Amino acid sequence: MKILDAKVHISFLIMETFHLNLLKKFPGLENSSYLRSMKNLATRRSIRKYSEKEVSEKLLNRLMGEASRTQTMGNLQLYSVVVTRSAEMKERLAPAHFNQPMVTQAPVVLTICADFNRTSQWARYRKAEPGYDNFLSFINASIDALLFTQTLCNLMDEEGLGYCYLGTTVYMPQMIIDTLQLPQLTMPVATLTVGWPAEEGSLSDRLPVESFVHQETYKDYTAKDIDAYYQYKENLEENRHFVDINHKETLAQVFTDIRYTKKDNEAMSAGLLEALRRQGFIQ
């Protein structure tokens, strides 16, 4: 267990050593934004409880402006962000996220959308005929939107803001589309609840680097590989408890039989495809 524990956390140890060596050579770096950024990446936590302190529009706009410098296909910035602050609108969004309490309790909810509507409108107003009503365009815009989302998360970490990424955005997208009045060729792909932290949050476990990095070609996993890569996760006390309270034999069964079932995945996939049709991304 101690060996596996060290493997899982090796990146943190390397980073700490790297920081210490840098500080020995350059003492003035101690409070630098670079070191703060690196530390934030290594200790990132989801925050689900927020203080009542306001997240100002000026601060949020600055961070979103900075995040827009992230990579983007063709320099088109194929995303839009809908900012929700009103209690009424948060209440209307909550059911699409299975009424998770942070949706209504957070000062701000950000819905990040894959957006080819704006680019298509630009083309039409400039005597050009857009051809972005297709699945490839949805994929391109989604990648842009998610790159923006991650960059914004990194910037919010540096600012001291707390946030929680909601993967539920694509589970029942039509509810979000209707609530936010999204036009065709826009599609919600990510949601962030944002505020000043009222909790520390817990540091989630991560698989070791060798479990997901492949050299030259993809190397499929043997039973021995899976044992080595998942043993630490499976033996965490909270995960063992998770298995027990769900009356399962393995942690994997909790995910396949309860959390993310085939039946639910197929039903939500059908809903996602229908939303994509209504939004004009597939015919």
Side-chain angles (χ1 to χ4, degrees):
M1 277 298 295
K2 289 183 179 179
I3 294 174
L4 287 169
D5 192 2
K7 277 189 173 183
V8 172
H9 296 290
I10 191 68
S11 60
F12 301 114
L13 297 176
I14 292 173
M15 194 171 293
E16 284 299 317
T17 303
F18 178 65
H19 289 171
L20 290 173
N21 288 336
L22 269 182
L23 290 176
K24 287 179 182 177
K25 292 181 179 180
F26 309 103
L29 282 177
E30 184 172 2
N31 295 313
S32 71
S33 60
Y34 169 74
L35 286 187
R36 288 199 304 273
S37 177
M38 295 297 287
K39 182 178 179 182
N40 286 333
L41 286 172
T43 60
R44 194 208 68 79
R45 293 164 163 82
S46 292
I47 300 297
R48 295 174 172 83
K49 295 181 180 179
Y50 309 97
S51 74
E52 295 181 0
K53 181 181 176 182
E54 178 192 13
V55 178
S56 72
E57 183 176 358
K58 181 179 180 181
L59 172 61
L60 194 56
N61 284 344
R62 174 172 67 79
L63 294 175
M64 290 191 290
E66 292 172 356
S68 72
R69 299 304 306 173
T70 197
Q71 303 93 323
T72 173
M73 193 204 80
N75 199 30
L76 289 173
Q77 296 179 245
L78 303 171
Y79 50 81
S80 285
V81 184
V82 181
V83 181
T84 302
R85 292 180 180 273
S86 80
E88 178 188 353
M89 289 297 288
K90 284 185 278 190
E91 288 285 352
R92 291 174 60 187
L93 284 172
H97 299 289
F98 300 94
N99 291 308
Q100 295 178 84
M102 57 274 198
V103 176
T104 54
Q105 294 171 5
V108 181
V109 176
L110 303 178
T111 304
I112 299 92
C113 303
D115 185 353
F116 247 117
N117 174 61
R118 183 183 63 251
T119 301
S120 296
Q121 296 285 42
W122 171 61
R124 293 187 186 99
Y125 286 130
R126 295 298 181 268
K127 301 179 182 179
E129 187 58 38
Y132 308 121
D133 53 347
N134 46 67
F135 188 66
L136 177 62
S137 296
F138 168 68
I139 293 297
N140 285 332
S142 294
I143 293 170
D144 265 23
L146 293 174
L147 284 168
F148 171 86
T149 301
Q150 184 57 63
T151 303
L152 178 60
C153 287
N154 294 345
L155 291 168
M156 291 194 296
D157 277 327
E158 290 190 45
E159 201 66 38
L161 284 165
Y163 60 86
C164 184
Y165 173 88
L166 304 184
T168 47
T169 307
V170 295
Y171 291 175
M172 294 186 285
Q174 195 60 51
M175 295 178 65
I176 299 172
I177 291 165
D178 294 340
T179 299
L180 301 181
Q181 301 177 23
L182 301 182
Q184 283 212 324
L185 298 187
T186 59
M187 189 75 182
V189 294
T191 299
L192 299 172
T193 57
V194 181
W196 299 103
E199 64 172 357
E200 184 177 347
S202 59
L203 189 66
S204 301
D205 64 279
R206 290 293 185 266
L207 296 174
V209 172
E210 56 266 33
S211 71
F212 56 82
V213 175
H214 302 259
Q215 302 297 338
E216 308 300 342
T217 59
Y218 189 101
K219 179 180 177 292
D220 209 351
Y221 301 94
T222 66
K224 184 178 179 181
D225 293 332
I226 294 299
D227 288 344
Y229 298 152
Y230 283 86
Q231 185 177 351
Y232 176 76
K233 176 188 285 287
E234 291 173 335
N235 282 282
L236 285 172
E237 183 178 349
E238 59 264 36
N239 285 337
R240 292 171 68 89
H241 178 65
F242 204 26
V243 173
D244 289 341
I245 63 174
N246 285 287
H247 309 291
K248 293 296 178 181
E249 183 180 354
T250 69
L251 181 63
Q253 290 173 348
V254 176
F255 283 85
T256 61
D257 300 354
I258 297 175
R259 295 195 68 184
Y260 307 112
T261 68
K262 178 179 175 63
K263 180 181 178 181
D264 288 345
N265 287 335
E266 290 178 345
M268 288 186 287
S269 292
L272 177 60
L273 289 171
E274 180 57 30
L276 285 169
R277 289 189 188 93
R278 292 184 181 185
Q279 294 306 101
F281 279 116
I282 57 176
Q283 305 305 314

